[in-house]
Every structure is written in C-alpha cells, then in structure tokens.
C-alpha cells in the first residue's frame, strides 16, 4: 500500500489507527525497519501476551531472583524479533513461543507466564534454566 493521503484517509474511515505487516519476508524487495533497545534493557520478554494484572507480580518475583527489576525489561511480540536492532541484553525470555533470532545471550524458554503461575513443575523448570547460567 502506498503511503499517501488517500490511503491514510481510507484507513481512518475504516477506523484503523495502525497496522503491521506480519510476514514482510514474503514480499519481494521489502526491507524490515529495525528498532534498537535502550541500553538499560537487560531482559527482553518475547511473548504473544504482554504481562498484565497478577501475572506482573509473578514476573517481578522471577526478575528479582535474577537481580533485575521491571525497569530493566521490555516486552515484544514474537513477530517483532526479526526487527530487533542493537541492544545490550543479558537475557532473552521466550514465553509461549519458539526460540528465534538472537544468539550468545542467556536464553529462557517457557510456556506463557499465566501457565507458570501456580504450576510447580513449570516454576522449577524455569528456575533450573536461570540457575544453569550462574557461574
């Protein structure tokens, strides 16, 4: 879609405020724009669900066990990993999605955060992954 005034007006008439191309790699010649993370971001949560409500408290508890707090984390959706530019990450956590993209970073894999809450087996699996990076 060309980005001109008539196209934008058409989108506004349909009450579409923003849109995102999910499979840009399928288009010939399309270049994905990258985004950089702030230097303060140490853990990136990649998940189809952004932590909200009570799940944030559980997420904070895990972060504290890693010596981090919410101010040093960010969330992105799995399809955004390919657009990730420069970063100073120490950790990347794939929650409820497959691992992709970034190498040479401490990597955690888990079900969705809401599936870890109250599930001792999943909490233990997550803790074992975190401990495996301690030296």
């Amino acid at each position: 879609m060309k980005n001109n005034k008539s196209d934008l007006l058409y989108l506004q008439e349909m009450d579409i405020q923003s849109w995102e191309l999910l499979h840009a790699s399928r288009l010939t010649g399309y270049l994905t724009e990258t985004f950089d993370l702030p230097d303060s971001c140490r853990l990136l949560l990649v998940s189809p669900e952004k932590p909200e409500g009570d799940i944030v408290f559980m997420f904070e508890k895990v972060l504290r066990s890693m010596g981090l707090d919410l101010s040093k984390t960010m969330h992105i959706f799995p399809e955004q990993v390919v657009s990730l530019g420069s970063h100073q990450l120490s950790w990347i956590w794939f929650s409820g999605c497959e691992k992709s993209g970034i190498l040479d970073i401490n990597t955690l894999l888990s079900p969705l955060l809401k599936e870890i809450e109250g599930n001792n087996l999943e909490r233990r699996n997550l803790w074992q992954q975190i401990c495996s990076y301690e030296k």
Side-chain angles (χ1 to χ4, degrees):
M1 176 183 287
K2 289 171 49 181
N3 191 7
N4 61 39
K5 287 187 178 187
S6 64
D7 292 333
L8 294 176
L9 183 59
Y10 184 65
L11 291 173
Q12 286 175 342
E13 288 174 359
M14 293 189 308
D15 200 27
I16 298 175
Q17 303 303 316
S18 66
W19 57 278
E20 181 178 346
L21 185 60
L22 294 180
H23 302 285
S25 61
R26 294 181 184 170
L27 297 176
T28 304
Y30 182 81
L31 297 176
T32 304
E33 289 186 36
T34 61
F35 64 93
D36 299 332
L37 296 178
D39 290 343
S40 62
C41 183
R42 294 291 176 235
L43 181 142
L44 182 64
L45 177 67
V46 180
S47 178
E49 294 183 2
K50 185 175 181 178
E52 294 180 334
D54 292 339
I55 299 302
V56 173
F57 297 118
M58 187 274 298
F59 183 53
E60 282 182 300
K61 286 169 67 175
V62 174
L63 292 175
R64 279 195 303 270
S65 75
M66 300 167 71
L68 299 170
D69 59 57
L70 280 177
S71 68
K72 297 193 182 307
T73 68
M74 290 187 68
H75 166 265
I76 64 171
F77 295 101
E79 58 271 9
Q80 293 176 293
V81 172
V82 297
S83 300
L84 187 59
S86 68
H87 58 80
Q88 299 296 320
L89 292 171
S90 301
W91 296 88
I92 187 162
W93 181 351
F94 294 93
S95 174
C97 60
E98 292 185 23
K99 176 183 172 183
S100 64
I102 304 173
L103 303 172
D104 299 329
I105 295 178
N106 297 339
T107 302
L108 304 175
L109 297 169
S110 75
L112 291 169
L113 295 179
K114 67 183 179 186
E115 295 174 15
I116 298 172
E117 179 66 22
N119 184 325
N120 288 336
L121 178 62
E122 292 300 341
R123 289 189 337 203
R124 186 174 23 256
N125 288 340
L126 181 59
W127 180 246
Q128 289 173 345
Q129 289 180 64
I130 293 168
C131 290
S132 74
Y133 290 104
E134 291 182 359
K135 294 181 181 181

